[in-house]
Amino acid sequence: MKKEKLPSKVDCLPCLGLVPSTIYENSPLPLIMGLGAYVNATQSPQLAERLMTVQGVRIYMESVSEEFRTTTTHWFARLEINLIATLLEVYLLIENPMVNIQLVHQIALFLSISMQTCDGYLLPRLFDRVIFNKKFFRSEVTDLGNQLQNLQIGQDPNQTVSSSTSTAVYQDGSLTRQKHLNVALDSLEMINLCYKKELGIEGFHLLNPPDALTACLYGTGPALPSDWNFLPIVHLYNIDGKREDATEVTVRCLQWSLILECMRPAFVCCVAHITVTSRFCRLACVLLAGNDLFRDTKTWLDEVLQAILVYQDYLDFDKPVRGLKSFYDFYRQILEQFVAVSYGDPVFGRFVLVPLQQRHNIKLKKLVWCELGAVLRFLSTPVSKVPIEKFLEPCETDPDLLYIYLNSLAQGRVKETFCPVLYRVAVHHVSTYITRYPDLPAARRLAQMVQALGNQELKSLLM
């Protein structure tokens, strides 16, 4: 009796899984790759449109761009990555594409972090024709003012953002944000040149004879890391910003980072899966890349920081950050640099203040209030520039830190005139603790210390 043939496990196209569909008998990948190669060879817009509007192809292209992939660094994935690159080339042949151009741009971004080293020669063309091509932002630019109202502060960075609302970060200064985004979009050509130079892909070319799909001379690792937009900044940090074009490079990187944060948040959060903490730390590298670089790029630095802090509820400085041995040591570097060169710069001060929010580790607060108390004298960032409620709740309950707060207030180490945020923090937590926990020994001791103060104005604030 003839054994019944099992149906294929492949419903449509492969999906970069742990067990790639390419190994199954009825995989459609060879057929689709062949069709794509044929269409690209004929350069036929009509054939290109017919292929890209096939329902299965459309669904597949949507699915591969919607989530982070951890299985793209093996040989079978390389076949599928080449399929996606082929289909992207097919799309570019269409004269009046009906496919969502934001989707196509997101697929190109996905390719930029999935392309394996042996296929790196495809990156310059990908950068030129899609990633840094302003036409892929055209529809968004025309409605940028409205789009800046869409994304809610505190949104879950892991939540998939739909294409209709994936383009905006709301801030009170949305008109300023719109202006900066337009400037950044007008600079895409220069941004492209900068990244190709800094990432070293200008010289990428197809090997002759070409590297076969069955052999990888340079391994199957990704040609670019998922956070390649920050790579030039990290490089400047490693060399202390000692380059004549450091300001130019930093501005271009910040402009592109602003575009990604505001107009491609779904890619940053869900596909590249760069955590909010990682983005904050990489951005903070600008502060440490020389003594004046942060000052020369302050406008763009502030804009990108605001965009990242939309997700500040998901910052977690206790979790490991790739590339950092210890956030505590990194933060100490920031504090020492702040004291040395900032002259109380309010933008630099915002970076210093973020880890001091109540939800973060108390050892970061003690680092500022005890070990590096000189920070207090320069931290002049106004209360209006921070979400002050995040510094006030929940009430501080650590007795040692509360004693430090009170002593700093009594000794005049923090005053509203030169350290407004932390002055308000100290007053609030000491007074709230005394009022809320009057029967605890620490609260009684604090109350006694307040009663012994000679400063009647301060005493009235705390009691």
Side-chain angles (χ1 to χ4, degrees):
M1 181 177 176
K2 188 176 180 180
K3 187 176 180 180
E4 184 179 355
K5 185 177 179 180
L6 294 174
S8 170
K9 296 183 181 180
V10 182
D11 294 325
C12 180
L13 288 172
C15 58
L16 292 173
L18 285 170
V19 182
S21 302
T22 54
I23 69 174
Y24 294 126
E25 181 179 353
N26 294 337
S27 171
L29 184 142
L31 173 63
I32 302 300
M33 282 198 72
L35 287 173
Y38 174 76
V39 172
N40 284 330
T42 61
Q43 295 287 293
S44 169
Q46 293 79 15
L47 290 177
E49 186 168 4
R50 292 188 66 179
L51 178 59
M52 293 304 295
T53 52
V54 171
Q55 184 180 9
V57 174
R58 189 179 68 253
I59 293 173
Y60 170 68
M61 295 296 274
E62 290 173 356
S63 68
V64 297
S65 67
E66 288 178 350
E67 59 183 281
F68 178 54
R69 307 284 173 170
T70 59
T71 55
T72 59
T73 55
H74 57 83
W75 182 84
F76 288 106
R78 188 181 179 206
L79 296 172
E80 194 171 347
I81 291 167
N82 275 269
L83 167 66
I84 299 169
T86 299
L87 292 176
L88 196 60
E89 289 287 337
V90 170
Y91 170 85
L92 294 174
L93 294 173
I94 303 174
E95 294 176 350
N96 296 302
M98 300 299 292
V99 181
N100 188 331
I101 62 173
Q102 291 182 39
L103 170 65
V104 175
H105 192 260
Q106 184 133 315
I107 291 170
L109 289 170
F110 164 75
L111 272 180
S112 74
I113 62 174
S114 303
M115 198 88 68
Q116 295 182 5
T117 306
C118 287
D119 298 317
Y121 67 90
L122 296 171
L123 286 171
R125 182 175 174 86
L126 189 68
F127 276 29
D128 291 340
R129 299 198 65 190
V130 185
I131 290 179
F132 294 107
N133 188 336
K134 191 176 180 180
K135 82 173 186 179
F136 287 94
F137 298 94
R138 184 174 59 243
S139 62
E140 297 160 86
V141 172
T142 58
D143 195 31
L144 197 54
N146 292 331
Q147 292 168 354
L148 285 171
Q149 310 297 324
N150 291 339
L151 197 62
Q152 296 179 356
I153 293 177
Q155 179 173 328
D156 185 347
N158 297 313
Q159 181 180 353
T160 301
V161 186
S162 67
S163 60
S164 62
T165 61
S166 67
T167 56
V169 171
Y170 170 75
Q171 295 290 341
D172 291 337
S174 59
L175 290 178
T176 303
R177 174 64 50 79
Q178 180 178 351
K179 175 184 175 182
H180 283 99
L181 276 172
N182 280 321
V183 171
L185 290 168
D186 288 339
S187 305
L188 278 173
E189 185 176 347
M190 297 302 297
I191 295 172
N192 180 22
L193 293 174
C194 175
Y195 271 107
K196 286 198 295 185
K197 177 182 176 182
E198 295 301 313
L199 299 176
I201 64 174
E202 283 183 314
F204 279 16
H205 57 84
L206 179 63
L207 297 176
N208 191 16
D211 187 21
L213 283 175
T214 54
C216 298
L217 296 179
Y218 305 107
T220 57
L224 295 176
S226 60
D227 59 349
W228 58 262
N229 59 302
F230 287 112
L231 215 56
I233 290 176
V234 173
H235 176 64
L236 288 172
Y237 162 72
N238 290 333
I239 62 171
D240 295 325
K242 294 178 180 177
R243 276 179 51 174
E244 291 184 1
D245 61 346
T247 299
E248 171 73 12
V249 170
T250 303
V251 167
R252 299 307 177 197
C253 292
L254 293 176
Q255 287 175 333
W256 179 239
S257 296
L258 183 65
I259 291 172
L260 289 180
E261 291 288 343
C262 296
M263 307 185 80
R264 294 294 180 266
F267 169 76
V268 175
C269 300
C270 306
V271 181
H273 202 63
I274 311 168
T275 66
V276 184
T277 311
S278 293
R279 280 138 59 195
F280 175 84
C281 292
R282 279 150 178 72
L283 186 64
C285 287
V286 176
L287 307 173
L288 303 173
N291 293 340
D292 298 309
L293 185 60
F294 78 91
R295 222 182 310 274
D296 298 333
T297 60
K298 183 165 61 175
T299 299
W300 293 102
L301 190 62
D302 188 36
E303 285 293 335
V304 181
L305 176 63
Q306 288 185 56
I308 290 175
L309 291 184
V310 166
Y311 307 108
Q312 62 188 312
D313 288 345
Y314 300 92
L315 284 167
D316 189 345
F317 299 116
D318 291 328
K319 288 185 178 179
V321 177
R322 189 177 62 184
L324 282 184
K325 292 182 179 179
S326 163
F327 177 78
Y328 182 87
D329 293 337
F330 182 70
Y331 186 53
R332 177 185 282 274
Q333 275 187 283
I334 292 174
L335 295 176
E336 291 171 346
Q337 182 83 337
F338 178 75
V339 172
V341 304
S342 75
Y343 296 99
D345 182 84
V347 175
F348 202 141
R350 291 185 67 188
F351 280 90
V352 170
L353 285 167
V354 169
L356 301 181
Q357 294 177 9
Q358 275 301 96
R359 57 187 298 268
H360 299 306
N361 199 310
I362 193 172
K363 68 181 183 181
L364 300 175
K365 301 180 185 68
K366 289 184 176 180
L367 180 61
V368 170
W369 286 88
C370 299
E371 296 183 50
L372 295 171
V375 170
L376 302 174
R377 190 66 185 85
F378 299 98
L379 200 50
S380 58
T381 303
V383 174
S384 61
K385 294 296 184 180
V386 300
I388 191 62
E389 69 282 352
K390 296 184 182 297
F391 294 84
L392 305 181
E393 296 297 335
C395 174
E396 183 58 62
T397 57
D398 183 84
D400 291 336
L401 187 56
L402 289 166
Y403 297 148
I404 293 169
Y405 285 164
L406 182 54
N407 286 331
S408 297
L409 289 168
Q411 296 169 12
R413 294 175 59 213
V414 284
K415 290 186 177 181
E416 194 169 16
T417 52
F418 59 79
C419 191
V421 174
L422 295 189
Y423 173 82
R424 185 165 173 182
V425 166
V427 169
H428 170 82
H429 286 297
V430 172
S431 62
T432 302
Y433 187 79
I434 292 173
T435 304
R436 192 172 295 178
Y437 307 104
D439 297 329
L440 293 180
R444 289 199 296 269
R445 183 183 173 191
L446 282 170
Q448 292 170 358
M449 293 170 67
V450 171
Q451 290 295 343
L453 290 174
N455 187 330
Q456 294 301 316
E457 182 181 354
L458 180 58
K459 185 187 297 187
S460 64
L461 285 173
L462 298 175
M463 294 298 291

